[in-house]
Amino acid sequence: MSIKFNVQLLLYGLGVIQPATPFEVIEFLRLIYPDITQWPDEEMLNQIFSEWLRLRYVIILNKEYHLLSLTSVANLRMDWKLRKLRDKARLTLLRELYDASLNRSEVAKQDLDGDSPSSESSTISQEGTRPVNSGSAPSRLTSTCHSTRIYWPRVVEQLNSKVGLGSQTSDIPFYRFRYCSFPNLRLLQEASSDSPLERDMSLSQLALAIGISPRLLTSFTHRPENHYRFFDISKKGGGKRQIASPRFFLKTVQYWIKSYILCHLKIHDSCHAYLVNKSIITNAEKHARKEFVANIDIEDFFGSIKTDHVFQLLKKNGIGEKLSKAVAHLVTLDGKLPQGAPTSPTISNAFLYEFDNSLSKISNEAGLEYSRYADDITISGSSRSAIESVIFGCRNHLWSNGLKLNENKTRIATSHSSQRVTGLVVNEKIQPPREFQRRIRAIFHIVNKNPESYIERISELRGYYNYLLSFDAIKNSRHLQRYRMVINKLKAAARNNSSSLI
């Protein structure tokens, strides 16, 4: 069936790639509708957009380059079928923008989703899983976050880099707007039909900033269970943990919230999870060579942080009441933080800011070291009684925040036993446990005997190598040198295998 050009398509095109110029909208539509042969010329295009300005369908964001975004009036005038298509296309492209932003920052090593962390961003978006023991996926040790807030590029910039769209407008600067579709709150409110709110925005205005329909955001909050997939993973100590992973469209919205809103949340320096340049190693470093090391675990960490906790946290950090309410419902499931959402780790870190601040001061006054890695708390020093006193205070502080200790996992190790912090041995030098290192030596020994049979595992072995290379205590060892040789053998075997197939 042939498609003819109409002004509804223009609304759709701008809605998908906004902010954009009229020329960029036409270029985008030409790309996705190659069968349309008759397009408006420049004069007609200017007439259409001039009329839309008069009708308040669009708002000018930059007069010099004629950058435009749709208003809430235009969203209502768009055909409902096109509006649904716009929402899907928009969120798909926004997800690519997020991934591209991470890649440009050279901090996206993997996609981590808020179970229990590796490390992520200080002021923004944080999602993650960390090794449940020292033998878990080694690449998770490295930082996967950003030191500053991520400003996503315009959709056109991403499309231009991939398919050459908008190459004739490459002289437009790389804008990073404060609210993605709008450079500031004033213009966002001008584009909205809602009454302007001082330092706040309604759910409809949030949807306008993202560039999607308010109805879609409402569906995420009214029937959230329809927008998650559920599965179980095994716990280290036995049993199962349920993961609730948001589906693609909700997850993209949560990425947006993470980048543009959660950046305002404060996170304490003693926290080492999901923070730039921090990891399980930095968490363990301050507890090395201590006489006593106490490990404390928070019970049901994410599940104990409720929707109202999130709402109050956002308000306390200067986010408006209506926006706080909307966000709190978009990032929670069944009234609590879901394990699996990219927003959960950031929120959980920020939720314990005052707790971390208090415990750091108490520990410092007692001559002890304190750190927290997600739900794992570590206190170390030379006085067992002082540590026990801080643990008692920790129990009370957690209770006042609606949390509690997992008493079965609270323990104090002396220097005469194996002292471990987030899976790493800290008695003398920080390093993985011996049993883990022995297992890796055995794997590389087997691979070295017959590298051709293990070509498909080269990424896994490279991951183990890079993981061990992160530890100063062993990075220059003969074992690491041998592992490097084995990996080079595998690469050579892979090249030979490819040549033989040709």
Side-chain angles (χ1 to χ4, degrees):
M1 184 178 68
S2 61
I3 300 174
K4 294 184 178 181
F5 172 80
N6 61 71
V7 292
Q8 281 285 318
L9 279 182
L10 270 184
L11 283 178
Y12 164 80
L14 179 56
V16 171
I17 67 171
Q18 67 179 27
T21 68
F23 174 81
E24 289 169 340
V25 175
I26 290 293
E27 287 290 286
F28 171 68
L29 291 174
R30 286 181 187 273
L31 178 69
I32 60 175
Y33 295 114
D35 294 337
I36 297 179
T37 56
Q38 292 187 334
W39 295 95
D41 57 23
E42 184 176 353
E43 183 179 354
M44 182 180 177
L45 195 62
N46 289 334
Q47 289 176 358
I48 292 171
F49 277 92
S50 295
E51 179 66 7
W52 283 0
L53 282 169
R54 187 185 68 80
L55 296 172
R56 297 197 69 252
Y57 284 11
V58 296
I59 185 170
I60 295 181
L61 310 177
N62 182 288
K63 291 182 179 179
E64 181 179 359
Y65 297 104
H66 206 53
L67 284 175
L68 307 167
S69 281
L70 293 184
T71 66
S72 55
V73 174
N75 277 286
L76 291 174
R77 295 294 183 269
M78 193 185 304
D79 178 81
W80 70 272
K81 290 182 180 179
L82 272 181
R83 191 161 58 238
K84 289 181 69 174
L85 289 173
R86 185 277 312 267
D87 289 347
K88 291 179 180 179
R90 173 77 175 171
L91 289 174
T92 299
L93 290 174
L94 285 181
R95 177 60 179 272
E96 290 191 11
L97 290 187
Y98 176 75
D99 293 340
S101 298
L102 288 178
N103 290 330
R104 283 176 184 144
S105 301
E106 296 183 349
V107 292
K109 305 300 182 188
Q110 59 185 5
D111 183 31
L112 303 172
D113 294 313
D115 167 20
S116 194
S118 137
S119 11
E120 254 210 38
S121 161
S122 53
T123 53
I124 56 174
S125 54
Q126 297 133 19
E127 58 189 309
T129 58
R130 67 165 171 80
V132 293
N133 58 50
S134 58
S136 297
S139 61
R140 292 177 180 175
L141 176 74
T142 57
S143 174
T144 57
C145 56
H146 0 273
S147 58
T148 58
R149 172 180 14 184
I150 288 181
Y151 283 109
W152 298 4
R154 290 194 306 131
V155 171
V156 170
E157 292 175 20
Q158 180 68 4
L159 290 174
N160 188 28
S161 67
K162 296 183 72 172
V163 296
L165 178 72
S167 56
Q168 295 185 38
T169 59
S170 58
D171 59 329
I172 298 178
F174 289 169
Y175 285 107
R176 301 292 184 269
F177 286 161
R178 173 66 186 85
Y179 294 101
C180 193
S181 297
F182 300 90
N184 52 55
L185 186 59
R186 178 183 62 82
L187 285 173
L188 170 60
Q189 291 178 340
E190 281 185 23
S192 169
S193 298
D194 291 352
S195 300
L197 302 165
E198 186 175 353
R199 301 178 67 84
D200 199 359
M201 68 174 76
S202 64
L203 184 138
S204 295
Q205 290 169 339
L206 174 61
L208 196 62
I210 300 172
I212 58 176
S213 305
R215 181 172 292 183
L216 181 58
L217 286 189
T218 302
S219 74
F220 292 152
T221 59
H222 284 190
R223 292 183 177 272
E225 65 279 0
N226 293 341
H227 301 282
Y228 285 84
R229 58 186 183 91
F230 303 89
F231 56 92
D232 293 332
I233 62 172
S234 298
K235 292 183 179 180
K236 177 186 176 183
K240 299 289 185 180
R241 174 184 287 117
Q242 186 182 69
I243 302 299
S245 178
R247 296 186 185 277
F248 184 87
F249 296 126
L250 174 58
K251 192 171 188 178
T252 302
V253 168
Q254 290 177 344
Y255 278 136
W256 193 97
I257 289 170
K258 190 173 74 163
S259 294
Y260 285 89
I261 297 175
L262 300 187
C263 58
H264 298 290
L265 303 185
K266 292 186 294 183
I267 297 172
H268 199 268
D269 287 342
S270 62
C271 178
H272 290 257
Y274 319 109
L275 300 174
V276 69
N277 296 326
K278 291 192 176 184
S279 65
I280 59 173
I281 291 182
T282 62
N283 183 58
E285 281 174 343
K286 63 195 313 182
H287 303 292
R289 296 172 295 280
K290 294 294 193 296
E291 191 168 347
F292 298 97
V293 175
N295 301 113
I296 306 167
D297 183 80
I298 302 173
E299 188 172 305
D300 190 22
F301 186 31
F302 284 4
S304 299
I305 302 175
K306 310 301 182 184
T307 303
D308 187 62
H309 288 145
V310 179
F311 171 66
Q312 297 297 339
L313 171 69
L314 295 170
K315 283 181 58 182
K316 189 184 297 183
N317 280 268
I319 297 170
E321 183 167 349
K322 289 197 173 185
L323 181 57
S324 294
K325 183 178 179 180
V327 170
H329 284 90
L330 284 167
V331 300
T332 54
L333 173 66
D334 296 330
K336 58 189 179 184
L337 282 187
Q339 288 205 48
T343 43
S344 293
T346 308
I347 293 168
S348 66
N349 270 349
F351 180 67
L352 285 185
Y353 176 82
E354 292 178 356
F355 169 84
D356 289 333
N357 191 46
S358 297
L359 265 291
S360 292
K361 287 182 178 179
I362 293 171
S363 298
N364 185 58
E365 290 170 359
L368 305 174
E369 295 287 352
Y370 166 87
S371 71
R372 181 175 62 82
Y373 195 94
D375 54 356
D376 292 331
I377 296 169
T378 306
I379 303 165
S380 65
S382 58
S383 171
R384 185 184 185 101
S385 61
I387 290 175
E388 290 173 342
S389 177
V390 173
I391 292 175
F392 181 80
C394 177
R395 186 180 289 109
N396 292 336
H397 276 80
L398 284 175
W399 183 84
S400 66
N401 283 281
L403 305 172
K404 61 179 181 179
L405 289 184
N406 186 336
E407 301 292 351
N408 294 328
K409 292 187 177 180
T410 300
R411 59 192 179 276
I412 301 176
T414 70
S415 57
H416 302 294
S417 61
S418 178
Q419 296 173 324
R420 301 192 183 190
V421 177
T422 44
L424 304 178
V425 177
V426 297
N427 291 69
E428 293 297 332
K429 299 176 181 179
I430 299 168
Q431 57 185 323
R434 289 179 181 176
E435 59 269 23
F436 172 71
Q437 295 190 55
R438 283 197 294 267
R439 184 163 69 85
I440 299 306
R441 281 201 298 273
I443 292 173
F444 274 90
H445 178 72
I446 294 170
V447 173
N448 189 43
K449 287 185 173 181
N450 189 14
E452 291 79 8
S453 300
Y454 295 91
I455 291 174
E456 73 281 357
R457 294 183 64 180
I458 188 169
S459 295
E460 176 191 348
L461 294 171
R462 191 182 284 134
Y464 285 127
Y465 172 77
N466 289 331
Y467 174 76
L468 295 173
L469 200 62
S470 302
F471 297 91
D472 291 337
I474 58 176
K475 68 180 182 181
N476 294 318
S477 68
R478 67 179 188 280
H479 296 300
L480 268 291
Q481 294 172 12
R482 190 176 300 129
Y483 299 163
R484 179 74 261 176
M485 291 172 59
V486 172
I487 290 171
N488 287 335
K489 271 190 179 182
L490 273 179
K491 290 166 66 176
R495 286 194 297 269
N496 292 336
N497 189 53
S498 298
S499 300
S500 63
L501 291 176
I502 298 172

